[in-house]
Amino acid sequence: DQQVKQNSPSLSVQEGRISILNCDYTNSMFDYFLWYKKYPAEGPTFLISISSIKDKNEDGRFTVFLNKSAKHLSLHIVPSQPGDSAVYFCAASYISNFGNEKLTFGTGTRLTIIP
Amino acid sequence: SQTIHQWPATLVQPVGSPLSLECTVEGTSNPNLYWYRQAAGRGLQLLFYSVGIGQISSEVPQNLSASRPQDRQFILSSKKLLLSDSGFYLCAWSAIHWEDIGSKLFFGSGTQLSVL
């Protein structure tokens, strides 16, 4: 049961344009959402997050939007740069019975920025 | 600052051989520790997590096991590897922040395991 879905396995965008990566979730218990960026043969690195009490969070070129009613979030990168080429994972979190955050990851979207 | 070390970076093992991957965290106490696997063409799958020494929770039934002999050490093991165990294994940690429910996971650099 894939609770976090990234339906686009790949996306190509021209340098300087906007990249929009989408993510859908099914579990209404999720209360925090994160985006991770991963280069080949490296571990994912945290990019940006958003709490369920917000609908937008912005950090430089990166903005995450959350639509709770639609159970949908998106990551906007503008302007896109060649260094943004990577796999982007959406993740959703909630507090487990043990008190730790349990993150559920999507399958990732490979973003390629075309110079 | 906190750092996470994971080794080896790559590993080629024959089917039926044992496995031991080690992960250590520095600069923090009582971290939550995780083992993830990214199989080819798939997302990050949580295999095990630990909230303390000797406390291991398994997320999926499998051929692997995990142990936490020390507060900041997490080990992934197998007695006999299967072909399906091939993948990219990631260790991660997070801090316990009761007030901040959005604690982030910090990942190690990963181990590419090929079972032949």
Side-chain angles (χ1 to χ4, degrees):
Chain A
D1 177 27
Q2 191 69 30
Q3 297 185 53
V4 178
K5 300 177 183 178
Q6 293 177 257
N7 292 319
S8 298
S10 63
L11 176 68
S12 295
V13 175
Q14 288 281 347
E15 181 179 359
R17 308 293 285 267
I18 183 171
S19 295
I20 301 176
L21 296 95
N22 293 304
C23 178
D24 297 290
Y25 63 96
T26 57
N27 190 340
S28 57
M29 287 181 61
F30 292 139
D31 50 20
Y32 206 82
F33 304 89
L34 308 91
W35 284 94
Y36 281 81
K37 177 180 180 180
K38 183 183 182 297
Y39 293 116
E42 293 184 9
T45 54
F46 171 76
L47 189 58
I48 191 169
S49 62
I50 187 167
S51 166
S52 60
I53 63 173
K54 296 183 176 181
D55 56 17
K56 177 183 175 181
N57 187 28
E58 190 173 352
D59 183 3
R61 297 186 297 114
F62 303 91
T63 303
V64 56
F65 295 91
L66 176 62
N67 183 333
K68 284 185 64 180
S69 60
K71 292 189 173 67
H72 176 83
L73 66 156
S74 61
L75 174 67
H76 293 211
I77 307 173
V78 56
S80 300
Q81 299 175 353
D84 296 330
S85 295
V87 176
Y88 289 79
F89 288 98
C90 171
S93 166
Y94 69 94
I95 300 285
S96 78
N97 292 334
F98 292 97
N100 65 311
E101 282 78 22
K102 290 190 66 175
L103 262 64
T104 301
F105 285 86
T107 52
T109 296
R110 181 178 300 279
L111 175 65
T112 302
I113 305 303
I114 305 168
Chain B
S1 64
Q2 301 89 356
T3 56
I4 179 169
H5 303 280
Q6 184 182 347
W7 67 92
T10 59
L11 191 60
V12 180
Q13 293 284 97
V15 170
S17 63
L19 172 74
S20 180
L21 302 180
E22 189 165 342
C23 171
T24 59
V25 180
E26 296 177 357
T28 187
S29 297
N30 302 315
N32 296 318
L33 297 173
Y34 307 81
W35 279 109
Y36 281 85
R37 175 173 62 197
Q38 183 184 14
R42 304 187 65 178
L44 295 171
Q45 182 184 34
L46 178 62
L47 302 176
F48 301 95
Y49 70 90
S50 171
V51 299
I53 296 175
Q55 300 180 61
I56 309 295
S57 295
S58 175
E59 286 294 295
V60 294
Q62 60 201 304
N63 183 43
L64 303 167
S65 62
S67 62
R68 185 170 178 173
Q70 301 179 44
D71 180 46
R72 290 170 288 177
Q73 183 185 28
F74 207 24
I75 298 172
L76 183 69
S77 305
S78 174
K79 293 182 179 179
K80 290 185 178 181
L81 284 169
L82 305 172
L83 287 174
S84 58
D85 292 324
S86 294
F88 191 58
Y89 288 82
L90 290 157
C91 180
W93 74 274
S94 71
I96 299 174
H97 290 300
W98 296 104
E99 294 79 21
D100 176 9
I101 63 172
S103 288
K104 299 175 283 290
L105 286 182
F106 298 92
F107 286 88
S109 53
T111 296
Q112 183 63 54
L113 172 65
S114 299
V115 182
L116 305 178

